[in-house]
Amino acid sequence: MKHLWPIVLPLKEDELLSSWLIRTSLENGSDPMTWTWYFWGKWRAWVADFDRHCDDEKLQRISFGPFNLELLQNATLSPTIQQLTTRKLHPNTNWLWVIPQGSRNRDRSVGMRFCPECLKDGTPYFRKSWRLAWNHSCPKHKLLLINQCPKCGLPISPHKASQDQTDICICPRCQFDLRKANTIQASGEALSAQEILSHAINKVDSLPWSTKTPAELFETVHLILGLFQYASRRTDTIKKFREELGIPICMDTRLSGHGIEQLSPESTSSLFISLNSLMKLEIDELIELFIETGVTQNTFFRKRPLTNNTLKLISRQLTTNEHNSSSPRINTARIIKPRSKSDVLKMWKDLQRYL
C-alpha cells in the first residue's frame, strides 16, 4: 500500500478532519497551512471551514489505504447535520446546530470548544461533538466546555500550531497550556437534555414529544430554544412562561437575537436546564403548558416555517395573536438613540463571526 506521507496517524474516535490533518502535518515535520497548500493548492482551507463540508474531489487527494472517501467524509460534520434537518445544506451558509468559526484569514472570532480533561487523556485531539451547539458540557468528565484561552481570551485555534510549537494544546498567543484550564462542574439537568439529543441521532423510537425522526426532534428543539431566548429578553410578554421555567432575564443580551449556535457553553447550559424539564412532558402536556403560560403562534414561530408534523400540531393548538384584537393598540413612535461606544464594539465583534 502506497502512503501519501511517511508517518501515518489514525483518525481518533469522533475526531474532526481538521484535527487529524493538523496532527498529521506536525508529525511529518510540516505545519497545517503548508500541508493543506501542498494537497489542495491555493484553496483557503483554513478560512473555508472544511470541517463542515469538504467536497469529494479534495478528499480524494488525501485518501489512501484505510483512509477511504467514506471515512474522511464522516470526519466532517455534514453527515451528522444532514440527519438533523429537512433543509438542504449549502456549504456557504450557516447551518443549524453547527458553531460557526467566523474566520478572517487564519484568525477566528469563535473558538473551538474543548474539555481540558479530554485533552489530557492520551493523544490530544479535537472532537466533532465540540462543534455541535447542543454540546455545552463533556459527558465523560461532567464539566462545562471552554471556548477560549482562559488566560488571554484568544479563540481556540489549533490550526496555528507550527514546528516552533507542535503541541496543539498550547495557546499560540500566550503559550498557556489548555490542559491546565480551570473547569466548572456541569449541571446534571442540562447534561441530561444534552444526552437525550446526542442519543437521538440515528434513533427513530422513544423520541421526546412523540417525534418520528431526529430531524423532527431537533427542528422542534431549535424553535423551543429560540422561544427561551425570546422570553429572556422580553420581560413584558410571556412573563408567566419565563417564570414557570426559571429562564434568566437578559442572558447574553448582545446575542439574544441570534441562534443557539452563537451562545457560550455557560449560556447554552442555562437554557438546557429549562429544556430538560420540557423534555419530560408528553406532547399534549407541552402544548397545555404553552397555552396556560400565554405562548402564542406569534411568539413561538415568529414567522418561521412549519417544517414537520410536531410543529404543525403545536401551531394548530396555539392562538394566533398575543394581543386582544378588541383592544386598540396605540402606535407610539420609537425614539432611536445613538449606541454607546462599548455597545458598538460588541456589535462589531458579533458581526465578525460571519466574516
Side-chain angles (χ1 to χ4, degrees):
M1 178 180 65
K2 182 180 178 181
H3 292 173
L4 294 179
W5 46 79
I7 302 176
V8 178
L9 302 179
L11 263 166
K12 298 288 187 178
E13 182 181 0
D14 192 38
E15 184 170 17
L16 281 166
L17 179 62
S18 66
S19 174
W20 175 66
L21 286 177
I22 291 168
R23 293 194 302 114
T24 298
S25 68
L26 297 171
E27 191 69 22
N28 283 275
S30 183
D31 63 78
M33 192 167 185
T34 303
W35 197 256
T36 53
W37 175 85
Y38 178 80
F39 287 102
W40 292 334
K42 294 182 179 181
W43 182 56
R44 303 177 71 190
W46 300 107
V47 176
D49 192 2
F50 60 86
D51 279 329
R52 293 199 320 164
H53 169 80
C54 190
D55 62 62
D56 291 351
E57 187 271 333
K58 291 183 176 65
L59 291 179
Q60 288 285 9
R61 298 184 193 179
I62 56 173
S63 173
F64 67 93
F67 303 104
N68 56 49
L69 188 60
E70 182 180 4
L71 181 70
L72 297 178
Q73 287 173 335
N74 287 332
T76 68
L77 298 170
S78 56
T80 298
I81 299 302
Q82 192 62 72
Q83 299 178 68
L84 310 183
T85 180
T86 54
R87 305 178 186 180
K88 183 178 180 180
L89 299 179
H90 193 285
N92 298 326
T93 61
N94 287 328
W95 293 357
L96 295 182
W97 297 112
V98 174
I99 300 169
Q101 294 289 270
S103 298
R104 186 176 180 85
N105 294 324
R106 288 202 306 154
D107 295 330
R108 289 175 176 170
S109 57
V110 182
M112 189 87 68
R113 292 180 179 180
F114 73 97
C115 168
E117 294 301 317
C118 285
L119 294 180
K120 294 177 185 177
D121 290 345
T123 302
Y125 64 95
F126 288 85
R127 277 74 165 165
K128 289 190 296 181
S129 55
W130 293 346
R131 284 291 308 274
L132 300 173
W134 72 85
N135 288 311
H136 51 77
S137 301
C138 173
K140 179 178 180 181
H141 299 105
K142 308 295 188 293
L143 301 171
L144 271 177
L145 299 179
I146 303 171
N147 64 345
Q148 62 182 13
C149 174
K151 184 176 180 180
C152 70
L154 181 74
I156 305 305
S157 307
H159 64 291
K160 289 188 175 182
S162 66
Q163 284 303 309
D164 293 330
Q165 178 51 265
T166 60
D167 191 341
I168 63 174
C169 296
I170 302 298
C171 175
R173 175 190 286 171
C174 70
Q175 307 304 304
F176 178 80
D177 190 337
L178 301 178
R179 289 164 292 207
K180 298 180 180 179
N182 294 328
T183 56
I184 300 175
Q185 196 71 25
S187 161
E189 293 180 53
L191 192 55
S192 176
Q194 173 184 304
E195 290 288 85
I196 290 173
L197 292 180
S198 295
H199 293 154
I201 302 175
N202 298 318
K203 186 178 179 182
V204 294
D205 58 340
S206 302
L207 296 178
W209 311 314
S210 301
T211 48
K212 303 301 182 184
T213 65
E216 189 170 341
L217 172 63
F218 275 82
E219 288 175 342
T220 303
V221 168
H222 201 275
L223 265 180
I224 289 176
L225 291 173
L227 177 64
F228 288 170
Q229 289 181 270
Y230 178 82
S232 73
R233 69 183 190 273
R234 292 291 297 272
T235 58
D236 57 330
T237 58
I238 57 173
K239 179 180 179 181
K240 187 176 180 181
F241 175 78
R242 175 174 55 78
E243 293 176 345
E244 179 78 18
L245 294 175
I247 300 171
I249 298 176
C250 297
M251 181 177 47
D252 265 14
T253 52
R254 61 193 175 88
L255 291 177
S256 58
H258 297 281
I260 190 70
E261 298 81 9
Q262 300 287 343
L263 298 183
S264 66
E266 294 85 354
S267 296
T268 303
S269 177
S270 296
L271 294 181
F272 269 55
I273 294 174
S274 300
L275 177 64
N276 186 55
S277 64
L278 293 189
M279 284 185 156
K280 298 175 182 178
L281 304 177
E282 298 295 331
I283 184 62
D284 292 341
E285 296 173 321
L286 177 67
I287 294 173
E288 184 179 354
L289 174 65
F290 284 163
I291 295 172
E292 290 180 350
T293 55
V295 176
T296 66
Q297 286 186 13
N298 295 350
T299 53
F300 186 54
F301 295 103
R302 297 186 301 286
K303 299 182 180 181
R304 297 179 184 178
L306 306 180
T307 53
N308 62 62
N309 290 331
T310 299
L311 295 179
K312 291 176 183 177
L313 175 61
I314 294 173
S315 176
R316 286 195 297 268
Q317 301 297 320
L318 300 181
T319 58
T320 58
N321 204 316
E322 57 186 312
H323 296 285
N324 188 342
S325 58
S326 62
S327 302
R329 297 181 62 183
I330 301 174
N331 185 21
T332 57
R334 181 185 175 190
I335 300 176
I336 301 176
K337 297 181 180 179
R339 299 267 189 170
S340 67
K341 180 179 179 181
S342 60
D343 283 346
V344 172
L345 290 176
K346 288 177 181 178
M347 292 170 65
W348 169 239
K349 185 177 180 181
D350 295 338
L351 180 60
Q352 287 178 311
R353 296 171 184 265
Y354 295 96
L355 300 179

